[in-house]
Amino acid sequence: MQTNQLELRCIQQDDDTQRTGFNFYIDGIALDKWLGFEKQTDLRFSDFDLDFFVVDKARFPNYDRHKIIRSKIEQYLGNKPVYTQLDNNRLVLYRCHCGSDYCSVIACDLEITEDQVKWNNIAYEDGLDKEDALELDEHGIAPIEQLIFNRKQYQQVFNEYLEQYLSLSKYPFITGSY
C-alpha cells in the first residue's frame, strides 16, 4: 500500500504581530488545497492548532500556547485521547477562526498501527449535520477518504516541529515569560 509524505511547513511569519502560521503538506501539496479552500483567507478554517501567536497575558494570565501545542501534538501522535467540543473523538485539522468546533471544523478519524498512521474520512463538520457532512460536499469542501503515512516519517515530522519551533529561547512569548 502506497503511503503519503507528510510535511509541516511554516507558511507565514509576521514579526510585527509575532504570529507564525503553519500548514500540512501532503505529497508536496497543501492540505487545504486538497480540500478546496485557502487556510490563510478562509476564516471558516483559518485556525490551526500548531500556529504561534501572542496572547494578551493581562486578560488571559493562564493561557499557555506552548502547552496547548504540545497537547495537540500528543493527540496527533496517538499518545493522548483526541478531544473536541463536538465530543466525537475526531482529530481536528482546521477550525474556524473563532475557535469553536461548533462553528466549523475539518476533522478526521485517526488510526495508528505499528507501521502506519491513517487519517480517515477527512471532512467538514459543525456539530449539526454529522451524518451528512461526512458524505456530502455541501460546504464547498472536497472530502478525502483516506491519507496513509509511514508512522516513523509521521512521528519525525512532529519531532522536528517541536525541536525547531518550540524552543523557549526562540519563542519566549509562548510561555508568557515576555
Side-chain angles (χ1 to χ4, degrees), residues 94-144:
Y94 303 101
R95 67 170 44 84
C96 177
H97 73 285
C98 74
S100 173
D101 293 349
Y102 291 102
C103 193
S104 60
V105 298
I106 302 292
C108 69
D109 294 312
L110 179 67
E111 180 183 341
I112 299 177
T113 66
E114 187 175 321
D115 298 323
Q116 296 179 329
V117 176
K118 297 177 184 178
W119 290 354
N120 297 314
N121 303 315
I122 304 167
Y124 171 90
E125 292 182 54
D126 60 11
L128 298 176
D129 329 301
K130 290 181 183 173
E131 295 299 319
D132 294 339
L134 293 175
E135 298 172 8
L136 302 174
D137 181 19
E138 62 189 62
H139 299 282
I141 302 302
I144 299 172

Short mmCIF file of all heavy atoms in Angstrom, two decimals, residues 94-144:
data_model
loop_
_atom_site.label_atom_id
_atom_site.label_comp_id
_atom_site.label_asym_id
_atom_site.label_seq_id
_atom_site.Cartn_x
_atom_site.Cartn_y
_atom_site.Cartn_z
N TYR A 94 -8.32 21.64 11.04
CA TYR A 94 -8.53 23.08 10.90
C TYR A 94 -9.84 23.42 11.59
O TYR A 94 -10.76 22.61 11.61
CB TYR A 94 -8.68 23.50 9.43
CG TYR A 94 -7.55 23.14 8.51
CD1 TYR A 94 -7.64 22.05 7.66
CD2 TYR A 94 -6.41 23.93 8.44
CE1 TYR A 94 -6.61 21.73 6.79
CE2 TYR A 94 -5.38 23.61 7.58
CZ TYR A 94 -5.48 22.51 6.76
OH TYR A 94 -4.46 22.20 5.89
N ARG A 95 -9.94 24.64 12.12
CA ARG A 95 -11.20 25.09 12.71
C ARG A 95 -11.41 26.56 12.37
O ARG A 95 -10.51 27.25 11.93
CB ARG A 95 -11.26 24.84 14.21
CG ARG A 95 -10.31 25.64 15.04
CD ARG A 95 -10.58 25.53 16.55
NE ARG A 95 -10.84 24.22 17.06
CZ ARG A 95 -9.90 23.32 17.40
NH1 ARG A 95 -8.64 23.62 17.29
NH2 ARG A 95 -10.23 22.15 17.87
N CYS A 96 -12.63 27.01 12.63
CA CYS A 96 -13.00 28.40 12.40
C CYS A 96 -12.08 29.32 13.21
O CYS A 96 -11.64 28.96 14.30
CB CYS A 96 -14.45 28.62 12.80
SG CYS A 96 -15.00 30.33 12.63
N HIS A 97 -11.86 30.52 12.71
CA HIS A 97 -11.01 31.49 13.39
C HIS A 97 -11.51 31.81 14.79
O HIS A 97 -10.74 32.22 15.65
CB HIS A 97 -10.89 32.78 12.56
CG HIS A 97 -12.13 33.62 12.57
ND1 HIS A 97 -13.25 33.28 11.85
CD2 HIS A 97 -12.43 34.75 13.24
CE1 HIS A 97 -14.19 34.18 12.06
NE2 HIS A 97 -13.72 35.09 12.91
N CYS A 98 -12.79 31.59 15.07
CA CYS A 98 -13.34 31.89 16.40
C CYS A 98 -12.93 30.84 17.43
O CYS A 98 -13.04 31.09 18.63
CB CYS A 98 -14.85 32.00 16.34
SG CYS A 98 -15.71 30.42 16.15
N GLY A 99 -12.47 29.68 16.98
CA GLY A 99 -12.01 28.64 17.89
C GLY A 99 -13.08 27.65 18.31
O GLY A 99 -12.79 26.68 19.00
N SER A 100 -14.31 27.87 17.91
CA SER A 100 -15.40 26.98 18.29
C SER A 100 -15.55 25.84 17.28
O SER A 100 -15.72 26.09 16.09
CB SER A 100 -16.72 27.74 18.39
OG SER A 100 -17.79 26.84 18.60
N ASP A 101 -15.52 24.63 17.78
CA ASP A 101 -15.70 23.47 16.89
C ASP A 101 -17.12 23.42 16.33
O ASP A 101 -17.36 22.85 15.28
CB ASP A 101 -15.39 22.17 17.63
CG ASP A 101 -13.92 22.04 18.00
OD1 ASP A 101 -13.11 22.84 17.51
OD2 ASP A 101 -13.59 21.13 18.79
N TYR A 102 -18.08 24.01 17.03
CA TYR A 102 -19.47 24.02 16.55
C TYR A 102 -19.66 24.96 15.37
O TYR A 102 -20.65 24.85 14.66
CB TYR A 102 -20.43 24.41 17.68
CG TYR A 102 -20.52 23.35 18.74
CD1 TYR A 102 -19.85 23.50 19.94
CD2 TYR A 102 -21.26 22.19 18.53
CE1 TYR A 102 -19.92 22.52 20.92
CE2 TYR A 102 -21.32 21.20 19.49
CZ TYR A 102 -20.66 21.38 20.69
OH TYR A 102 -20.72 20.40 21.63
N CYS A 103 -18.75 25.87 15.18
CA CYS A 103 -18.85 26.81 14.08
C CYS A 103 -18.49 26.09 12.77
O CYS A 103 -19.27 26.06 11.84
CB CYS A 103 -17.94 28.01 14.33
SG CYS A 103 -18.26 29.38 13.22
N SER A 104 -17.29 25.52 12.73
CA SER A 104 -16.89 24.68 11.59
C SER A 104 -15.49 24.14 11.82
O SER A 104 -14.62 24.85 12.32
CB SER A 104 -16.96 25.44 10.26
OG SER A 104 -16.10 26.55 10.26
N VAL A 105 -15.31 22.89 11.47
CA VAL A 105 -14.00 22.25 11.53
C VAL A 105 -13.83 21.33 10.34
O VAL A 105 -14.79 20.92 9.70
CB VAL A 105 -13.79 21.41 12.83
CG1 VAL A 105 -13.86 22.27 14.07
CG2 VAL A 105 -14.75 20.24 12.91
N ILE A 106 -12.57 21.03 10.05
CA ILE A 106 -12.21 19.93 9.18
C ILE A 106 -11.56 18.91 10.11
O ILE A 106 -10.60 19.23 10.82
CB ILE A 106 -11.19 20.34 8.09
CG1 ILE A 106 -11.72 21.50 7.23
CG2 ILE A 106 -10.80 19.14 7.25
CD1 ILE A 106 -12.88 21.16 6.34
N ALA A 107 -12.11 17.70 10.15
CA ALA A 107 -11.62 16.70 11.09
C ALA A 107 -11.51 15.34 10.41
O ALA A 107 -12.02 15.13 9.30
CB ALA A 107 -12.57 16.61 12.28
N CYS A 108 -10.81 14.43 11.10
CA CYS A 108 -10.65 13.07 10.56
C CYS A 108 -10.66 12.07 11.70
O CYS A 108 -10.50 12.42 12.87
CB CYS A 108 -9.33 12.97 9.78
SG CYS A 108 -7.84 13.06 10.79
N ASP A 109 -10.84 10.81 11.33
CA ASP A 109 -10.68 9.71 12.27
C ASP A 109 -9.22 9.30 12.21
O ASP A 109 -8.69 9.06 11.12
CB ASP A 109 -11.56 8.52 11.88
CG ASP A 109 -13.04 8.84 12.00
OD1 ASP A 109 -13.44 9.38 13.05
OD2 ASP A 109 -13.79 8.56 11.05
N LEU A 110 -8.57 9.25 13.35
CA LEU A 110 -7.15 8.90 13.44
C LEU A 110 -7.03 7.42 13.76
O LEU A 110 -7.63 6.93 14.70
CB LEU A 110 -6.49 9.74 14.53
CG LEU A 110 -5.00 9.50 14.78
CD1 LEU A 110 -4.18 9.94 13.57
CD2 LEU A 110 -4.55 10.24 16.04
N GLU A 111 -6.24 6.72 12.94
CA GLU A 111 -5.99 5.29 13.15
C GLU A 111 -4.47 5.08 13.11
O GLU A 111 -3.82 5.44 12.12
CB GLU A 111 -6.66 4.47 12.05
CG GLU A 111 -6.45 2.99 12.18
CD GLU A 111 -7.07 2.21 11.03
OE1 GLU A 111 -7.95 2.74 10.31
OE2 GLU A 111 -6.64 1.06 10.81
N ILE A 112 -3.94 4.52 14.17
CA ILE A 112 -2.50 4.30 14.25
C ILE A 112 -2.23 2.81 14.45
O ILE A 112 -2.78 2.19 15.36
CB ILE A 112 -1.87 5.12 15.39
CG1 ILE A 112 -2.11 6.61 15.15
CG2 ILE A 112 -0.38 4.82 15.52
CD1 ILE A 112 -1.61 7.51 16.25
N THR A 113 -1.38 2.28 13.57
CA THR A 113 -0.95 0.89 13.68
C THR A 113 0.55 0.89 13.94
O THR A 113 1.18 1.95 14.04
CB THR A 113 -1.26 0.09 12.40
OG1 THR A 113 -0.47 0.61 11.33
CG2 THR A 113 -2.74 0.17 12.05
N GLU A 114 1.14 -0.26 14.00
CA GLU A 114 2.58 -0.36 14.25
C GLU A 114 3.40 0.36 13.19
O GLU A 114 4.41 0.99 13.50
CB GLU A 114 2.98 -1.83 14.31
CG GLU A 114 4.41 -2.05 14.74
CD GLU A 114 4.75 -3.52 14.90
OE1 GLU A 114 3.91 -4.27 15.39
OE2 GLU A 114 5.87 -3.89 14.50
N ASP A 115 2.96 0.31 11.94
CA ASP A 115 3.75 0.86 10.84
C ASP A 115 3.13 2.08 10.16
O ASP A 115 3.81 2.76 9.38
CB ASP A 115 3.97 -0.21 9.77
CG ASP A 115 4.76 -1.40 10.29
OD1 ASP A 115 5.69 -1.19 11.10
OD2 ASP A 115 4.43 -2.53 9.90
N GLN A 116 1.84 2.33 10.40
CA GLN A 116 1.17 3.39 9.65
C GLN A 116 0.32 4.28 10.54
O GLN A 116 -0.13 3.88 11.61
CB GLN A 116 0.25 2.78 8.59
CG GLN A 116 0.97 2.01 7.52
CD GLN A 116 0.00 1.41 6.52
OE1 GLN A 116 -1.14 1.08 6.84
NE2 GLN A 116 0.46 1.29 5.28
N VAL A 117 0.09 5.50 10.04
CA VAL A 117 -0.88 6.42 10.61
C VAL A 117 -1.85 6.75 9.50
O VAL A 117 -1.43 7.12 8.39
CB VAL A 117 -0.21 7.71 11.14
CG1 VAL A 117 -1.25 8.69 11.64
CG2 VAL A 117 0.80 7.38 12.24
N LYS A 118 -3.14 6.61 9.79
CA LYS A 118 -4.16 6.89 8.77
C LYS A 118 -5.07 8.02 9.26
O LYS A 118 -5.49 8.03 10.41
CB LYS A 118 -5.01 5.64 8.52
CG LYS A 118 -4.22 4.48 7.96
CD LYS A 118 -5.09 3.25 7.80
CE LYS A 118 -4.26 2.07 7.31
NZ LYS A 118 -5.07 0.86 7.19
N TRP A 119 -5.30 8.96 8.36
CA TRP A 119 -6.33 9.96 8.56
C TRP A 119 -7.49 9.53 7.68
O TRP A 119 -7.41 9.57 6.45
CB TRP A 119 -5.86 11.34 8.14
CG TRP A 119 -4.80 11.96 9.02
CD1 TRP A 119 -4.30 11.46 10.20
CD2 TRP A 119 -4.13 13.19 8.79
NE1 TRP A 119 -3.36 12.31 10.70
CE2 TRP A 119 -3.23 13.39 9.87
CE3 TRP A 119 -4.18 14.14 7.79
CZ2 TRP A 119 -2.41 14.50 9.95
CZ3 TRP A 119 -3.36 15.25 7.88
CH2 TRP A 119 -2.49 15.43 8.96
N ASN A 120 -8.57 9.08 8.29
CA ASN A 120 -9.73 8.57 7.57
C ASN A 120 -10.88 9.57 7.61
O ASN A 120 -11.08 10.27 8.60
CB ASN A 120 -10.20 7.24 8.20
CG ASN A 120 -9.15 6.16 8.10
OD1 ASN A 120 -8.54 5.95 7.06
ND2 ASN A 120 -8.92 5.47 9.21
N ASN A 121 -11.66 9.59 6.54
CA ASN A 121 -12.87 10.42 6.45
C ASN A 121 -12.60 11.88 6.81
O ASN A 121 -13.22 12.44 7.71
CB ASN A 121 -13.98 9.86 7.34
CG ASN A 121 -14.32 8.43 7.00
OD1 ASN A 121 -14.45 8.09 5.83
ND2 ASN A 121 -14.43 7.59 8.01
N ILE A 122 -11.68 12.49 6.10
CA ILE A 122 -11.36 13.90 6.33
C ILE A 122 -12.49 14.73 5.71
O ILE A 122 -12.71 14.68 4.50
CB ILE A 122 -10.01 14.27 5.69
CG1 ILE A 122 -8.90 13.35 6.23
CG2 ILE A 122 -9.68 15.73 5.94
CD1 ILE A 122 -7.61 13.41 5.45
N ALA A 123 -13.22 15.46 6.58
CA ALA A 123 -14.41 16.14 6.10
C ALA A 123 -14.79 17.31 6.99
O ALA A 123 -14.32 17.43 8.12
CB ALA A 123 -15.58 15.15 6.03
N TYR A 124 -15.70 18.12 6.48
CA TYR A 124 -16.30 19.25 7.19
C TYR A 124 -17.24 18.74 8.28
O TYR A 124 -17.96 17.77 8.09
CB TYR A 124 -17.08 20.11 6.21
CG TYR A 124 -17.92 21.18 6.86
CD1 TYR A 124 -17.39 22.43 7.11
CD2 TYR A 124 -19.23 20.92 7.25
CE1 TYR A 124 -18.15 23.42 7.72
CE2 TYR A 124 -20.00 21.90 7.86
CZ TYR A 124 -19.45 23.14 8.10
OH TYR A 124 -20.20 24.11 8.71
N GLU A 125 -17.25 19.44 9.42
CA GLU A 125 -18.22 19.17 10.48
C GLU A 125 -18.55 20.47 11.18
O GLU A 125 -17.73 21.37 11.27
CB GLU A 125 -17.63 18.21 11.52
CG GLU A 125 -17.40 16.82 11.01
CD GLU A 125 -16.87 15.91 12.10
OE1 GLU A 125 -17.51 15.82 13.18
OE2 GLU A 125 -15.82 15.32 11.88
N ASP A 126 -19.76 20.54 11.73
CA ASP A 126 -20.14 21.70 12.52
C ASP A 126 -21.02 21.34 13.70
O ASP A 126 -21.57 22.21 14.36
CB ASP A 126 -20.84 22.75 11.64
CG ASP A 126 -22.10 22.22 11.00
OD1 ASP A 126 -22.59 21.13 11.37
OD2 ASP A 126 -22.62 22.90 10.10
N GLY A 127 -21.16 20.08 13.98
CA GLY A 127 -21.97 19.66 15.11
C GLY A 127 -23.45 19.56 14.79
O GLY A 127 -24.23 19.10 15.61
N LEU A 128 -23.85 19.96 13.60
CA LEU A 128 -25.26 19.92 13.24
C LEU A 128 -25.60 18.78 12.30
O LEU A 128 -26.50 18.01 12.55
CB LEU A 128 -25.69 21.25 12.60
CG LEU A 128 -25.55 22.49 13.48
CD1 LEU A 128 -25.89 23.74 12.69
CD2 LEU A 128 -26.44 22.36 14.71
N ASP A 129 -24.87 18.69 11.19
CA ASP A 129 -25.18 17.68 10.17
C ASP A 129 -24.15 16.57 10.20
O ASP A 129 -23.54 16.28 9.20
CB ASP A 129 -25.16 18.28 8.76
CG ASP A 129 -25.57 19.72 8.69
OD1 ASP A 129 -26.69 20.01 9.08
OD2 ASP A 129 -24.76 20.51 8.22
N LYS A 130 -23.95 15.94 11.31
CA LYS A 130 -22.86 14.98 11.44
C LYS A 130 -22.86 13.93 10.34
O LYS A 130 -21.85 13.65 9.74
CB LYS A 130 -22.89 14.31 12.81
CG LYS A 130 -22.50 15.27 13.91
CD LYS A 130 -22.51 14.60 15.24
CE LYS A 130 -22.18 15.62 16.30
NZ LYS A 130 -22.30 15.12 17.63
N GLU A 131 -24.00 13.32 10.08
CA GLU A 131 -24.05 12.28 9.06
C GLU A 131 -23.86 12.84 7.65
O GLU A 131 -23.07 12.35 6.88
CB GLU A 131 -25.38 11.52 9.13
CG GLU A 131 -25.58 10.75 10.43
CD GLU A 131 -24.52 9.68 10.64
OE1 GLU A 131 -24.15 8.99 9.68
OE2 GLU A 131 -24.06 9.55 11.79
N ASP A 132 -24.58 13.91 7.35
CA ASP A 132 -24.49 14.49 6.01
C ASP A 132 -23.12 15.08 5.72
O ASP A 132 -22.60 14.95 4.63
CB ASP A 132 -25.55 15.58 5.82
CG ASP A 132 -26.95 15.03 5.84
OD1 ASP A 132 -27.10 13.82 5.60
OD2 ASP A 132 -27.89 15.80 6.09
N ALA A 133 -22.54 15.75 6.69
CA ALA A 133 -21.27 16.44 6.46
C ALA A 133 -20.16 15.47 6.09
O ALA A 133 -19.25 15.82 5.37
CB ALA A 133 -20.87 17.25 7.69
N LEU A 134 -20.23 14.23 6.58
CA LEU A 134 -19.21 13.26 6.25
C LEU A 134 -19.39 12.70 4.84
O LEU A 134 -18.47 12.15 4.29
CB LEU A 134 -19.24 12.10 7.26
CG LEU A 134 -18.83 12.48 8.68
CD1 LEU A 134 -19.03 11.28 9.60
CD2 LEU A 134 -17.39 12.93 8.73
N GLU A 135 -20.57 12.86 4.27
CA GLU A 135 -20.84 12.26 2.97
C GLU A 135 -21.03 13.27 1.85
O GLU A 135 -20.79 12.96 0.70
CB GLU A 135 -22.11 11.40 3.07
CG GLU A 135 -21.95 10.25 4.05
CD GLU A 135 -23.25 9.51 4.30
OE1 GLU A 135 -24.24 9.79 3.61
OE2 GLU A 135 -23.25 8.67 5.20
N LEU A 136 -21.48 14.46 2.16
CA LEU A 136 -21.83 15.42 1.13
C LEU A 136 -20.85 16.58 1.10
O LEU A 136 -20.30 16.98 2.11
CB LEU A 136 -23.24 15.97 1.39
CG LEU A 136 -24.36 14.93 1.45
CD1 LEU A 136 -25.66 15.61 1.84
CD2 LEU A 136 -24.51 14.22 0.12
N ASP A 137 -20.69 17.14 -0.09
CA ASP A 137 -19.84 18.32 -0.27
C ASP A 137 -20.73 19.56 -0.23
O ASP A 137 -20.73 20.37 -1.14
CB ASP A 137 -19.09 18.20 -1.59
CG ASP A 137 -18.17 19.39 -1.84
OD1 ASP A 137 -17.85 20.10 -0.87
OD2 ASP A 137 -17.80 19.61 -3.00
N GLU A 138 -21.48 19.72 0.85
CA GLU A 138 -22.44 20.82 0.93
C GLU A 138 -21.85 22.14 1.37
O GLU A 138 -22.51 23.15 1.35
CB GLU A 138 -23.60 20.43 1.85
CG GLU A 138 -23.15 20.17 3.27
CD GLU A 138 -24.26 19.58 4.12
OE1 GLU A 138 -24.72 18.49 3.81
OE2 GLU A 138 -24.64 20.26 5.08
N HIS A 139 -20.59 22.14 1.77
CA HIS A 139 -19.96 23.37 2.24
C HIS A 139 -18.76 23.76 1.40
O HIS A 139 -17.91 24.52 1.84
CB HIS A 139 -19.56 23.21 3.71
CG HIS A 139 -20.73 22.95 4.59
ND1 HIS A 139 -21.59 23.94 5.00
CD2 HIS A 139 -21.22 21.80 5.12
CE1 HIS A 139 -22.54 23.41 5.75
NE2 HIS A 139 -22.34 22.12 5.84
N GLY A 140 -18.67 23.22 0.19
CA GLY A 140 -17.57 23.57 -0.70
C GLY A 140 -16.26 22.88 -0.34
O GLY A 140 -15.20 23.29 -0.80
N ILE A 141 -16.31 21.86 0.48
CA ILE A 141 -15.12 21.13 0.90
C ILE A 141 -15.13 19.77 0.21
O ILE A 141 -16.14 19.07 0.23
CB ILE A 141 -15.10 20.94 2.43
CG1 ILE A 141 -15.14 22.30 3.13
CG2 ILE A 141 -13.90 20.12 2.87
CD1 ILE A 141 -14.01 23.23 2.77
N ALA A 142 -14.01 19.43 -0.39
CA ALA A 142 -13.90 18.13 -1.05
C ALA A 142 -13.37 17.11 -0.03
O ALA A 142 -12.20 17.14 0.32
CB ALA A 142 -12.94 18.23 -2.23
N PRO A 143 -14.25 16.24 0.49
CA PRO A 143 -13.80 15.26 1.48
C PRO A 143 -12.71 14.35 0.91
O PRO A 143 -12.65 14.09 -0.28
CB PRO A 143 -15.06 14.45 1.79
CG PRO A 143 -16.20 15.30 1.32
CD PRO A 143 -15.66 16.11 0.17
N ILE A 144 -11.86 13.88 1.80
CA ILE A 144 -10.80 12.94 1.43
C ILE A 144 -11.06 11.66 2.21
O ILE A 144 -11.16 11.70 3.44
CB ILE A 144 -9.41 13.51 1.76
CG1 ILE A 144 -9.16 14.80 1.00
CG2 ILE A 144 -8.33 12.47 1.47
CD1 ILE A 144 -7.89 15.53 1.41
#
